Amino acid sequence: MTQEEYKIYIDNVIRRVEFARVRFDEKHIVKIVAISKYSTAEEIEKLYRIGQRAFGENKVQDLRAKSLELEELPLEWHFVGNLQKNKINNLLDINPALFHALDSLELAHELQKKLEARDMKLEALLQINSAKEESKHGVMPEVALEVYNKIKKECPNIHLRGVMSIGAHTDDKAVIKKSFETTYSIYKQLEGATICSMGMSGDFDLAIECGSNMVRLGSIMFNK
Ligand SMILES: *Cc1c(COP(=O)(O)O)cnc(C)c1O
């Protein structure tokens, strides 16, 4: 694909986002985070030249490598993966714009200790396992409100901005929709929350129609 063809291709993805967001609400605004985990720095730069600024990775070492390789560009880096305790310092060294996958009170306490020692703040989202799948990280929907408010109270260096979810792993659209609705209803109950991160390449239209305002698009943004 030439750069010109790629631009037309991305315009079509954006049109789909537009179509879905007006179905939710005419004033609804959705941000696209391009997940570059299967893509090279060169491919990220091609997308940057079309206008994309927010990128995300799911492994700390990849986030580090790509953000360093592209440090000349004014990119906003997100971390969307599961964070192991022994990688906290490596993540904080990169100081990402947003950590999407804070998935337990215990991890929040570990983060808080390290953040306090560095006199740093971290913007984060609480990951919710809204489809209650064993293979997935995140807090259960029943306790999400309580955990969210506890983190807010006990971890002042973590700035919680909202929630993140991965849609149910099934072809049944109704089940996927239900998982998004579960997350959105929790989001609506959070005081001051502004980000509801849900929707990936295969289900972002539906996620937006359910109220998502941040989609994490990997394969579709890089045409893979
Ligand atoms: C890989 C990944 C995505 C993007 O997945 P695609 O299906 O390629 O769009 C989104 N969120 C998380 C947490 C991921 O790991």
Side-chain angles (χ1 to χ4, degrees), residues 35 37-38 58 80-81 164 166 199-202 216-220:
I35 306 302
K37 66 186 180 199
Y38 302 124
N58 73 335
V80 301
M164 179 274 231
I166 296 172
M200 311 190 349
S201 295
R216 307 177 309 272
L217 305 184
S219 38
I220 198 169

Coordinates of all heavy atoms in Angstrom, one line a residue, residues 35 37-38 58 80-81 164 166 199-202 216-220, ligand 1:
I35 N -2.7 0.3 18.7 CA -1.9 -0.6 19.4 C -0.9 -1.2 18.4 O -1.2 -1.9 17.4 CB -2.8 -1.8 20.0 CG1 -3.9 -1.2 20.9 CG2 -1.9 -2.7 20.8 CD1 -3.4 -0.3 22.0
K37 N 1.7 -3.4 18.9 CA 2.4 -4.5 19.3 C 2.9 -5.5 18.2 O 3.9 -6.2 18.4 CB 1.6 -5.3 20.4 CG 0.4 -5.9 19.9 CD -0.4 -6.5 21.1 CE -1.7 -7.2 20.6 NZ -2.6 -7.4 21.7
Y38 N 2.2 -5.5 17.1 CA 2.6 -6.4 16.0 C 3.3 -5.6 14.9 O 3.5 -6.0 13.8 CB 1.4 -7.1 15.3 CG 0.6 -7.9 16.3 CD1 -0.8 -7.7 16.5 CD2 1.2 -8.9 17.1 CE1 -1.5 -8.5 17.4 CE2 0.5 -9.7 18.0 CZ -0.8 -9.5 18.1 OH -1.5 -10.3 19.0
N58 N 1.7 -3.7 24.7 CA 1.2 -4.5 25.8 C 2.4 -5.2 26.5 O 2.1 -6.0 27.4 CB 0.2 -5.5 25.4 CG 0.7 -6.7 24.5 OD1 1.8 -6.5 23.9 ND2 0.1 -7.8 24.5
V80 N -1.1 -1.0 27.6 CA -2.4 -1.7 27.8 C -2.3 -3.1 28.3 O -3.3 -3.7 28.5 CB -3.1 -1.7 26.4 CG1 -3.3 -0.2 25.9 CG2 -2.4 -2.5 25.3
G81 N -1.0 -3.5 28.5 CA -0.9 -4.9 28.9 C -0.9 -5.2 30.4 O -1.0 -4.2 31.2
M164 N -11.3 0.1 32.0 CA -10.9 -0.6 30.7 C -11.4 -2.0 30.7 O -11.5 -2.6 31.8 CB -9.4 -0.6 30.6 CG -8.8 -1.3 29.3 SD -8.7 -3.1 29.5 CE -7.0 -3.3 28.9
I166 N -11.9 -5.7 28.1 CA -11.7 -6.4 26.8 C -13.1 -7.1 26.6 O -13.6 -7.8 27.5 CB -10.5 -7.4 26.9 CG1 -9.2 -6.7 27.0 CG2 -10.5 -8.3 25.6 CD1 -8.0 -7.5 27.3
G199 N -13.1 -1.8 23.3 CA -13.3 -2.0 21.8 C -11.9 -2.2 21.2 O -11.0 -1.4 21.4
M200 N -11.8 -3.3 20.4 CA -10.6 -3.6 19.7 C -11.0 -3.8 18.2 O -12.1 -3.5 17.8 CB -9.9 -4.9 20.2 CG -9.8 -4.8 21.7 SD -8.9 -6.0 22.7 CE -8.5 -7.3 21.7
S201 N -10.1 -4.2 17.4 CA -10.3 -4.3 15.9 C -11.6 -5.0 15.6 O -12.4 -4.6 14.7 CB -9.2 -4.9 15.2 OG -8.0 -4.1 15.3
G202 N -11.9 -6.1 16.3 CA -13.1 -6.9 15.9 C -14.4 -6.5 16.5 O -15.4 -7.0 16.1
R216 N -9.0 0.7 21.4 CA -7.6 0.3 21.3 C -7.5 -0.6 20.0 O -7.8 -1.8 20.1 CB -7.2 -0.5 22.5 CG -7.4 0.2 23.9 CD -7.0 -0.7 25.0 NE -7.6 -2.0 25.0 CZ -8.8 -2.3 25.4 NH1 -9.6 -1.5 26.1 NH2 -9.3 -3.6 25.3
L217 N -7.1 0.0 18.9 CA -7.1 -0.7 17.7 C -5.7 -1.1 17.2 O -4.9 -0.2 16.9 CB -7.8 0.2 16.6 CG -9.2 0.7 17.0 CD1 -9.8 1.5 15.8 CD2 -10.1 -0.4 17.3
G218 N -5.5 -2.4 17.1 CA -4.2 -2.9 16.6 C -4.2 -3.3 15.2 O -3.9 -2.5 14.3
S219 N -4.6 -4.5 14.9 CA -4.5 -5.0 13.5 C -5.2 -4.1 12.5 O -4.6 -3.9 11.4 CB -5.1 -6.4 13.5 OG -6.2 -6.6 14.3
I220 N -6.3 -3.6 12.8 CA -7.0 -2.8 11.8 C -6.3 -1.5 11.4 O -6.3 -1.1 10.3 CB -8.5 -2.5 12.2 CG1 -9.3 -2.1 10.9 CG2 -8.6 -1.5 13.3 CD1 -10.8 -2.1 11.1
Ligands
LIG1 C1 -3.5 -6.3 21.2 C2 -4.4 -5.6 22.1 C3 -5.4 -4.7 21.5 C4 -5.6 -4.6 20.0 O1 -6.0 -5.8 19.4 P1 -6.5 -5.8 17.9 O2 -7.5 -6.9 17.9 O3 -5.3 -6.1 17.1 O4 -7.1 -4.5 17.6 C5 -6.2 -4.0 22.4 N1 -6.1 -4.1 23.7 C6 -5.2 -4.9 24.3 C7 -5.1 -5.0 25.8 C8 -4.3 -5.7 23.5 O5 -3.4 -6.5 24.1

